[in-house]
Amino acid sequence: MIDPKVLRQDIERVKATVKNRKMTFDFDQLIQIEEKRKSIQVSTQHLQNQRNELSKSIGQRKAKGEDTQALFAEVNQLKESLEKAEIELNELLEKQTNLQLMLPNLLHDSVPVGKDENDNIEVRRWGTVPSFSFTPKDHVDLTEKSAQIDFNAAAKMSGSRFVVMRGQIARLHRALIQFMLDIHTQEFGYQETYVPFLVEANALWGAGQLPKFAEDLFHIKGERTLSLIPTAEVPLTNLVRDTILEKSDLPLKFVCHSPCFRSEAGSYGKDTKGMIRQHQFEKVELVQVVEPEKSYEALETLTKNAETILQRLELPYRVMALCSGDVGFCAAKTYDIEVWLPSQNKYREISSCSNTENFQSRRLQARYRKEANAKPEYVHLLNGSGLAVGRTLIAVIENYQDEDGNVRIPKALQGYMGGVEKISL
């Protein structure tokens, strides 16, 4: 949520952000509500002052033994007017808050202005794109015969965009998860965390998933209304909800493996083949809670933590700075890491690493004290995939395939695979 002071004092900056994000927003309505709110607030304060003066007069008259009946009648009238004004004010404040919740985060000054992903800027790339003496297959064709990746079996029970994995591919998927968790906990100091996969609406509001992304969620209705998490970022950021931390507590670094559930609203026709875009997939998620002055240093570190996984797996990738039109709703700045997929002959996103600054922490009321007895300030929250497991699996299968349809196991994973060096498909 944007700082209300910025909305009052620098509305042009907010308008520029919305414009550069290629979004629309009814600023006139927001301004009208603000003007009306100020007017009612002034009237309310005036009524409160009148009531206080009359109450004082009643006390003085009583002390003198004078009649106070007329004054009591005035006070009751003022009380009714005040109650109506307060109801109207609260309704306006609710409308104002609901509108403000639809505003995206302000963009960091370093974010390039652009329309969409075509305007993103390459920051760096790592590794050498593999050269094959044969035409490389995609992960679907490679595993079709053995059915170790089986979309038909999944479709029979769940419909499209689900998958069943079997045998060594399922084991490789598990090995990737364990490998990622070990690197992030043992080398980078993240605390491994297990979280609920079903959350209440207030957790989604706090993380910025609601109201903007309601259509992309799966909702469970029963005795309680819950939603399946679209990412572990939601429960991880909620760990500091309604919390005042001490400076000595920071930074907090969480890593979590979880399934993610997304309806993929509006993505019909995109990546319909294979595991690129699924309703259910696995991720190893990174979240950091830091002091505001250190959040952009933390963004660089978090991004490099995610990159390390690809480097250890010897998978070529590039890092992209997202332009204004491609940065997510909650983020002030984002780096996408894109891994090379031979079958598509291009890089595909495998991680987004973002600094949300205090946008999420305002919603969550996540704060800290710089020193004892100091006024609490909002922490900065960062998140990133370290990595998306299914897409990493695809990248390993496709980059490590041979002409006979086998998949070599990266050296970094062989210990997690019980010494297996190659999977026959």
Side-chain angles (χ1 to χ4, degrees):
M1 188 173 182
I2 295 175
D3 185 348
K5 288 182 182 177
V6 176
L7 286 170
R8 291 194 294 268
Q9 299 171 8
D10 196 1
I11 192 71
E12 294 305 316
R13 182 186 172 196
V14 183
K15 287 181 178 179
T17 282
V18 171
K19 179 183 177 182
N20 289 337
R21 283 178 175 273
K22 307 305 175 187
M23 296 175 66
T24 57
F25 184 80
D26 191 348
F27 284 100
D28 289 339
Q29 185 183 5
L30 189 65
I31 292 168
Q32 287 168 9
I33 289 174
E34 173 62 11
E35 291 300 318
K36 196 170 182 180
R37 180 200 65 79
K38 286 192 288 187
S39 175
I40 293 174
Q41 202 150 26
V42 169
S43 298
T44 302
Q45 288 171 348
H46 179 64
L47 289 169
Q48 287 171 337
N49 291 336
Q50 281 185 291
R51 184 187 60 183
N52 292 340
E53 287 297 319
L54 284 170
S55 297
K56 186 178 178 181
S57 297
I58 288 171
Q60 290 170 344
R61 288 196 180 188
K62 274 186 175 181
K64 294 177 182 179
E66 297 176 356
D67 182 28
T68 59
Q69 190 173 353
L71 289 178
F72 268 116
E74 272 192 78
V75 167
N76 287 332
Q77 275 189 324
L78 282 172
K79 184 181 178 182
E80 288 179 14
S81 298
L82 192 56
E83 286 175 352
K84 287 179 182 178
E86 287 174 344
I87 289 170
E88 189 175 2
L89 180 61
N90 287 332
E91 288 175 351
L92 275 174
L93 288 171
E94 186 177 355
K95 284 182 182 178
Q96 188 179 53
T97 299
N98 288 338
L99 263 179
Q100 290 173 1
L101 286 169
M102 294 301 293
L103 280 167
N105 199 356
L106 296 171
L107 295 168
H108 189 261
D109 291 341
S110 65
V111 173
V113 176
K115 183 179 180 181
D116 53 31
E117 62 182 17
N118 296 312
D119 295 323
N120 295 340
I121 294 175
E122 184 174 316
V123 177
R124 57 183 171 271
R125 63 175 63 191
W126 184 94
T128 303
V129 170
S131 177
F132 296 93
S133 59
F134 56 94
T135 302
K137 294 180 179 180
D138 67 18
H139 63 288
V140 179
D141 293 335
L142 277 165
T143 58
E144 184 176 25
K145 185 178 178 181
S146 66
Q148 290 190 56
I149 293 180
D150 193 338
F151 299 100
N152 292 327
K156 289 177 182 177
M157 62 184 93
S158 304
S160 63
R161 300 206 181 202
F162 290 92
V163 68
V164 168
M165 287 180 277
R166 300 186 179 95
Q168 293 289 61
I169 290 296
R171 185 178 185 181
L172 179 57
H173 186 265
R174 173 165 54 90
L176 283 166
I177 294 165
Q178 293 175 315
F179 169 69
M180 292 177 192
L181 289 172
D182 284 351
I183 294 294
H184 292 308
T185 56
Q186 296 172 19
E187 297 189 27
F188 300 140
Y190 289 86
Q191 181 184 64
E192 186 169 351
T193 311
Y194 177 85
V195 297
F197 303 152
L198 288 163
V199 294
E200 295 178 337
N202 54 17
L204 293 158
W205 280 91
Q209 295 293 320
L210 289 177
K212 181 70 175 176
F213 303 108
E215 289 185 0
D216 208 27
L217 299 169
F218 284 110
H219 305 286
I220 308 298
K221 291 186 179 180
E223 185 179 336
R224 296 164 59 196
T225 300
L226 297 167
S227 300
L228 289 160
I229 59 170
T231 165
E233 174 196 337
V234 173
L236 287 176
T237 53
N238 272 270
L239 290 174
V240 292
R241 179 180 163 194
D242 296 326
T243 301
I244 299 177
L245 301 161
E246 299 302 326
K247 183 177 180 179
S248 58
D249 296 327
L250 303 176
L252 295 174
K253 299 166 70 175
F254 304 114
V255 60
C256 177
H257 158 246
S258 79
C260 306
F261 304 91
R262 298 183 187 178
S263 71
E264 294 293 344
S267 68
Y268 300 106
K270 295 179 182 177
D271 297 312
T272 54
K273 183 181 180 183
M275 289 176 60
I276 291 288
R277 200 178 296 275
Q278 297 276 284
H279 290 312
Q280 175 185 315
F281 59 95
E282 312 277 313
K283 259 203 311 176
V284 170
E285 186 74 5
L286 307 174
V287 163
Q288 291 197 25
V289 184
V290 303
E291 296 174 67
E293 298 81 5
K294 298 180 179 179
S295 66
Y296 279 95
E297 177 186 350
L299 177 61
E300 300 298 325
T301 301
L302 185 147
T303 304
K304 287 175 182 175
N305 294 158
E307 288 178 66
T308 298
I309 302 299
L310 292 173
Q311 291 174 9
R312 300 285 176 85
L313 296 174
E314 300 181 74
L315 292 170
Y317 68 88
R318 66 179 183 178
V319 177
M320 307 292 289
L322 299 197
C323 73
S324 58
D326 203 28
V327 172
F329 181 81
C330 292
K333 181 174 182 177
T334 298
Y335 291 119
D336 267 9
I337 304 173
E338 300 178 345
V339 70
W340 179 258
L341 293 187
S343 67
Q344 298 186 19
N345 197 38
K346 63 181 179 181
Y347 292 97
R348 294 299 304 267
E349 180 209 332
I350 198 167
S351 173
S352 282
C353 301
S354 300
N355 185 357
T356 70
E357 296 186 358
N358 62 21
F359 187 81
Q360 288 177 315
S361 55
R362 283 183 181 279
R363 290 169 172 250
L364 294 161
Q365 287 299 297
R367 294 170 291 170
Y368 83 112
R369 286 190 178 91
K370 280 188 174 180
E371 53 189 43
N373 302 319
K375 182 181 178 181
E377 299 179 28
Y378 290 105
V379 295
H380 279 196
L381 295 172
L382 301 97
N383 66 81
S385 301
L387 302 161
V389 183
R391 293 192 178 190
T392 309
L393 178 71
I394 292 169
V396 169
I397 291 171
E398 293 195 6
N399 281 278
Y400 280 87
Q401 65 181 291
D402 64 22
E403 194 169 7
D404 297 323
N406 303 312
V407 174
R408 292 177 291 110
I409 304 300
K411 290 181 181 178
L413 291 179
Q414 288 177 12
Y416 294 87
M417 293 289 291
V420 172
E421 297 181 3
K422 184 169 65 175
I423 295 175
S424 296
L425 300 174

